């Protein structure tokens, strides 16, 4: 009998002014059949209502805000924060 824990998948979603797409991206990650997952949204200095969209998910996601540094920096921030065994990169507008 195996007592191994299920492997955690971390979804890193960099976001910059994509509030209109962010909800669908997060919902897509949450709907994956593999569990457990962690969702990390890295807001790269958005000026739209991205923070409010992310806040609607409560503790089902982690939201990290940083001043605008570009897509690669936002991805790197998310990867550094991830706790998963695997990391999946998902753009906010996918």
């Amino acid at each position: 009998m195996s007592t191994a824990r299920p492997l955690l998948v971390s979804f890193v979603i960099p976001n910059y002014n994509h509030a209109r797409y962010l909800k669908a991206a997060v919902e897509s990650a949450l709907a994956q059949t593999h569990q457990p997952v962690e969702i990390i949204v890295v807001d790269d200095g958005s000026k739209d209502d991205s923070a409010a969209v992310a806040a609607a998910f409560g503790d089902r996601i982690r939201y990290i805000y940083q001043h605008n540094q570009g897509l690669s920096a936002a991805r790197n921030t998310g990867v550094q924060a991830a706790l998963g065994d695997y990391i999946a990169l998902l753009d906010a507008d996918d």
Side-chain angles (χ1 to χ4, degrees):
M1 175 194 258
S2 175
T3 58
R5 68 171 177 78
L7 298 176
L8 176 65
V9 176
S10 298
F11 284 87
V12 174
I13 305 175
N15 177 75
Y16 179 71
N17 291 333
H18 281 108
R20 65 190 176 276
Y21 305 116
L22 185 57
K23 180 180 179 204
V26 171
E27 287 175 344
S28 173
L30 288 171
Q32 297 302 303
T33 56
H34 175 85
Q35 293 295 322
V37 298
E38 75 170 337
I39 314 300
I40 303 168
V41 174
V42 181
D43 188 336
D44 193 40
S46 294
K47 297 179 182 359
D48 62 5
D49 63 344
S50 293
V53 172
F57 288 98
D59 64 358
R60 294 185 295 164
I61 69 167
R62 276 199 290 159
Y63 175 80
I64 301 170
Y65 179 88
Q66 67 183 25
H67 294 286
N68 185 262
Q69 299 174 44
L71 178 60
S72 296
R75 283 187 179 140
N76 288 338
T77 296
V79 168
Q80 290 172 354
L83 301 174
D85 300 291
Y86 296 102
I87 296 174
L89 301 175
L90 176 63
D91 290 337
D93 60 349
D94 283 349

